[in-house]
C-alpha cells in the first residue's frame, strides 16, 4: 500500500510540474518584420519545429504560429531559429538503409534552421527523424549544406566527407591549418569550435554570444545524509512449523552516502546517470518476542540481527525545471546491496540456537522524487522495494528487508 501511495504521489507531482515549466521568455518576427515579445512553449523536441505555441502573457490563452507566417523566433538564452528555403540532403544514415550513391540527393525545403554560431560565418543545424545536417553561410551569402554522407561501396561502408573540403575552401584563414581541418568530424561540438575560430580570425572584435546555461552540466558530486525508516521480518517455517512471522520492529536510522552524477548535455540537461554508494545499518540485540510453534512447547524466543551494508544504487534521473533556480526531479535505480559481517540469530527458549545465519548481498529497486534549489541543495523522498536478506538454500526461511521510504538531504560539492 505504501508503494502504491508513493507512485501516485510521484505521478501527481510530475504532472503538476509539467504545467508550470512549459512557457519561457522569447520572441518571434512575422513576415511583415514585426517583432513580438512573448512566452514560447519549449517542447525539448530533438527535431526542428515547423510551428510553435506561444502566449502573450503567462496568464493568457496559448496560440500557434507556423513556418508560413513567422521568419524567426527564439527562446531567450536557449535557441534561435530562422526560416530559409534551402537545398538539403536527408539521405538515411541507418546502416540497414544505406544506398550505393555517393553524392547527396538534394530537395528544396522551407525549414526553420537552428542557429549555432553567428558572425561572418554562420553555422546552422537541422534535425529530422534522427538525421542531422549542418549548413552554413558567409556574410549573408546563400546557405549551403556541409556535405557528409555514408554509403555502400560493395560490402563496405564508405563516407563522403566533402564538408572538410568546403571548410578549407570557404572558411580558411591563417590561424587554421589543413591538418586541423582534416581531423574535424561531422559533430556539432567540433564544427562550432571551427566556426568560432574562423570568426575570431577574420574579425578581431568578434565576441562569442553568451547564452544562459541550464544548471548542472557534466559531473557533479554530492554528499547525501538522511533518514531511513527500516523494518525487518523473519519467516521461519522450518523451525516453527508455522506461518507466524517474527517482526524485528520498525526503526528510524541515519544513513550517509555520496552521489556521483553525470548530467547529459542534451534535452536541456534534464537527463542524468548516477551512482550513489550509501552506508546502511539495522541492529537489534536480544529482543524477546512471542513465538508459538505448533510442534514444540515454547512460547518465546530471543532474536538478534546485526545488518550492515553498502548499497550501490545505479540509475537514471530526469529533471523538470520550475525556473532558473529550482527544479523537481524523479529517478529510478537498480540497487545492489553489499552486506558485510552481518548475521541473523534466533534462540528458542530452553534450546540451543536454532538459527544462526549470514546475511547475504542482494538487489532491489528504488524510486525517488525530490526538489533541488540553486542546483546546490536538495531533498528527496525515496522508496525501496523489499529485499530478501538470506540466500541459504532453505526456501522456507526468509528474512525480508521491508521497502520503506527514506528522506535524503543533498549538498552538491561541485
Amino acid at each position: 500500500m505504501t508503494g502504491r501511495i508513493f507512485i501516485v504521489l510521484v505521478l501527481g507531482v510530475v504532472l503538476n510540474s509539467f504545467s508550470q515549466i512549459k512557457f519561457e521568455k522569447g520572441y518571434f518576427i512575422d513576415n511583415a518584420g514585426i517583432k513580438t515579445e512573448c512566452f514560447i512553449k519549449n517542447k525539448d523536441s530533438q527535431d526542428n519545429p515547423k510551428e510553435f505555441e506561444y502566449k502573450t502573457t503567462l496568464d493568457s490563452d496559448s496560440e500557434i504560429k507556423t513556418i508560413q507566417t513567422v521568419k524567426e523566433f527564439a527562446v531567450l538564452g536557449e535557441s534561435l531559429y530562422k526560416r530559409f528555403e534551402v537545398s538539403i540532403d536527408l539521405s538515411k544514415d541507418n546502416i540497414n538503409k544505406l544506398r550505393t550513391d555517393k553524392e547527396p540527393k538534394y530537395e528544396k525545403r522551407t525549414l526553420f534552421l537552428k542557429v549555432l554560431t553567428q558572425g561572418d560565418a554562420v553555422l546552422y543545424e537541422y534535425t529530422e527523424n534522427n538525421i542531422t545536417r549542418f549548413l552554413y553561410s558567409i556574410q549573408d551569402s546563400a546557405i549551403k549544406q556541409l556535405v557528409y554522407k555514408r554509403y555502400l561501396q560493395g560490402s563496405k561502408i564508405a563516407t563522403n566527407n566533402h564538408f572538410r573540403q568546403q571548410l578549407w575552401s570557404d572558411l580558411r584563414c591563417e590561424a587554421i591549418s589543413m591538418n586541423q581541418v582534416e581531423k574535424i568530424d561531422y559533430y556539432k561540438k567540433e564544427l562550432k569550435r571551427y566556426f568560432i575560430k574562423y570568426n575570431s580570425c577574420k574579425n578581431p572584435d568578434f565576441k562569442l554570444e553568451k547564452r544562459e546555461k541550464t544548471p548542472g552540466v557534466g559531473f557533479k558530486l554530492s554528499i547525501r545524509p538522511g533518514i531511513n525508516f527500516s523494518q525487518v521480518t523473519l519467516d521461519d517455517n522450518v523451525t516453527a512449523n508455522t506461518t507466524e512471522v517474527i517482526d524485528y520492529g520498525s526503526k528510524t536510522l541515519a544513513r550517509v552516502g555520496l552521489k556521483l552524477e553525470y548530467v547529459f548535455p542534451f534535452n536541456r540537461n534534464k537527463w542524468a546517470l548516477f551512482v550513489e554508494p550509501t552506508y546502511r545499518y539495522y541492529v537489534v540485540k536480544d529482543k524477546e518476542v512471542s513465538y508459538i510453534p505448533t510442534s514444540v512447547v515454547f512460547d518465546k524466543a530471543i532474536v538478534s540481527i546485526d545488518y550492515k551494508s553498502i548499497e550501490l544504487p545505479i540509475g537514471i534521473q530526469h529533471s523538470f525545471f520550475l525556473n532558473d533556480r529550482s527544479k523537481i526531479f524523479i529517478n529510478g535505480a537498480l540497487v545492489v546491496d553489499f552486506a558485510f559481517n552481518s548475521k541473523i540469530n534466533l534462540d528458542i527458549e530452553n534450546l540451543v540456537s536454532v538459527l544462526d545465519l549470514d546475511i547475504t548481498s542482494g538487489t532491489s529497486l528504488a524510486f525517488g522524487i525530490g526538489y533541488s534549489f540553486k542546483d546546490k541543495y536538495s531533498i528527496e523522498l525515496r522508496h525501496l522495494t523489499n529485499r530478501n536478506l538470506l540466500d541459504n538454500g532453505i526456501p522456507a526461511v526468509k528474512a525480508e528487508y521491508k521497502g520503506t521510504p527514506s528522506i535524503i538531504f543533498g549538498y552538491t560539492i561541485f
Side-chain angles (χ1 to χ4, degrees):
M1 181 62 68
T2 302
R4 291 179 181 175
I5 293 173
F6 184 81
I7 292 172
V8 171
L9 175 64
V10 169
L11 291 175
V13 173
V14 169
L15 291 174
N16 182 60
S17 66
F18 269 126
S19 66
Q20 300 180 54
I21 63 173
K22 290 294 187 181
F23 290 87
E24 302 179 25
K25 286 184 179 181
Y27 70 87
F28 64 86
I29 300 175
D30 62 19
N31 291 340
I34 298 173
K35 182 177 181 180
T36 301
E37 294 185 355
C38 60
F39 296 88
I40 294 178
K41 188 175 184 179
N42 197 335
K43 291 185 177 181
D44 292 328
S45 173
Q46 292 192 352
D47 286 358
N48 285 43
K50 295 179 175 61
E51 62 181 27
F52 60 91
E53 189 175 350
Y54 77 98
K55 294 181 177 183
T56 54
T57 69
L58 287 176
D59 297 326
S60 63
D61 294 333
S62 64
E63 300 179 60
I64 300 293
K65 287 291 183 180
T66 69
I67 196 170
Q68 285 77 29
T69 59
V70 170
K71 60 182 181 181
E72 178 179 325
F73 75 95
V75 176
L76 298 182
E78 288 291 336
S79 56
L80 169 63
Y81 290 92
K82 293 186 177 184
R83 184 187 67 192
F84 295 99
E85 184 177 0
V86 296
S87 296
I88 191 168
D89 168 50
L90 295 172
S91 301
K92 301 294 184 183
D93 200 41
N94 188 296
I95 293 177
N96 298 323
K97 296 182 179 180
L98 293 180
R99 302 171 66 91
T100 56
D101 45 320
K102 174 181 178 180
E103 298 302 320
K105 288 191 173 181
Y106 293 110
E107 54 181 302
K108 283 279 189 181
R109 299 275 296 274
T110 299
L111 306 171
F112 277 133
L113 301 182
K114 186 175 184 178
V115 179
L116 299 181
T117 66
Q118 299 195 68
D120 288 354
V122 183
L123 177 66
Y124 304 94
E125 179 185 35
Y126 182 76
T127 300
E128 180 181 304
N129 298 327
N130 294 318
I131 299 171
T132 297
R133 296 291 182 258
F134 297 100
L135 304 93
Y136 72 105
S137 64
I138 304 172
Q139 295 180 340
D140 298 324
S141 63
I143 293 178
K144 300 178 185 178
Q145 179 178 323
L146 288 169
V147 176
Y148 170 86
K149 183 179 180 180
R150 294 201 301 173
Y151 61 98
L152 291 177
Q153 193 173 59
S155 59
K156 296 182 179 180
I157 297 176
T159 306
N160 179 351
N161 287 313
H162 181 62
F163 75 94
R164 292 173 182 155
Q165 180 60 47
Q166 291 173 285
L167 294 177
W168 183 245
S169 298
D170 296 343
L171 290 92
R172 187 194 309 184
C173 74
E174 57 273 14
I176 301 173
S177 67
M178 179 178 288
N179 184 55
Q180 290 174 308
V181 175
E182 289 174 346
K183 292 180 179 179
I184 295 176
D185 287 320
Y186 201 75
Y187 295 125
K188 181 195 301 187
K189 186 176 180 179
E190 295 189 30
L191 290 171
K192 282 182 65 175
R193 187 185 301 123
Y194 185 91
F195 273 71
I196 291 169
K197 189 170 185 177
Y198 172 83
N199 285 326
S200 299
C201 175
K202 287 297 183 181
N203 181 5
D205 297 326
F206 171 78
K207 291 183 180 180
L208 181 63
E209 180 183 355
K210 293 184 178 181
R211 292 189 176 181
E212 299 174 13
K213 295 182 179 179
T214 50
V217 182
F219 285 100
K220 298 196 298 183
L221 180 65
S222 304
I223 185 170
R224 304 263 289 173
I227 300 171
N228 292 326
F229 300 96
S230 305
Q231 182 182 14
V232 175
T233 59
L234 177 67
D235 187 352
D236 173 23
N237 292 337
V238 172
T239 302
N241 192 27
T242 180
T243 58
E244 184 174 357
V245 175
I246 298 171
D247 189 350
Y248 284 80
S250 298
K251 299 175 75 67
T252 302
L253 303 167
R255 56 97 77 187
V256 63
L258 286 174
K259 183 178 183 181
L260 180 62
E261 182 179 0
Y262 178 74
V263 181
F264 294 103
F266 55 78
N267 197 221
R268 296 185 64 227
N269 313 317
K270 290 186 176 182
W271 291 97
L273 184 69
F274 70 90
V275 294
E276 188 178 340
T278 304
Y279 176 70
R280 178 185 288 272
Y281 69 96
Y282 181 96
V283 178
V284 175
K285 295 292 186 182
D286 300 330
K287 179 179 179 179
E288 185 176 294
V289 297
S290 172
Y291 192 74
I292 309 174
T294 60
S295 59
V296 291
V297 186
F298 302 105
D299 63 359
K300 65 180 179 179
I302 304 298
V303 295
S304 299
I305 180 171
D306 188 350
Y307 172 36
K308 300 181 291 291
S309 73
I310 298 294
E311 285 185 343
L312 187 66
I314 304 171
I316 193 89
Q317 181 165 294
H318 184 70
S319 298
F320 306 91
F321 293 99
L322 303 177
N323 51 52
D324 59 352
R325 305 204 306 177
S326 301
K327 67 181 179 182
I328 290 173
F329 60 86
I330 58 173
N331 56 47
L334 172 68
V335 181
V336 184
D337 182 72
F338 299 97
F340 58 93
N341 299 328
S342 299
K343 286 182 176 294
I344 287 178
N345 181 272
L346 170 63
D347 289 336
I348 298 178
E349 184 183 47
N350 298 326
L351 288 182
V352 179
S353 177
V354 178
L355 285 178
D356 190 4
L357 301 172
D358 291 327
I359 294 176
T360 57
S361 301
T363 59
S364 56
L365 298 176
F367 305 93
I369 181 169
Y371 170 78
S372 175
F373 180 66
K374 292 185 177 179
D375 216 33
K376 196 75 173 178
Y377 310 97
S378 66
I379 183 170
E380 178 182 341
L381 179 65
R382 180 178 293 178
H383 180 79
L384 188 72
T385 60
N386 294 354
R387 179 168 64 231
N388 185 19
L389 301 181
L390 301 176
D391 185 14
N392 47 31
I394 310 175
V397 181
K398 182 179 180 182
E400 193 168 53
Y401 189 90
K402 295 289 187 178
T404 51
S406 298
I407 298 175
I408 306 169
F409 304 95
Y411 175 77
T412 301
I413 301 171
F414 64 83

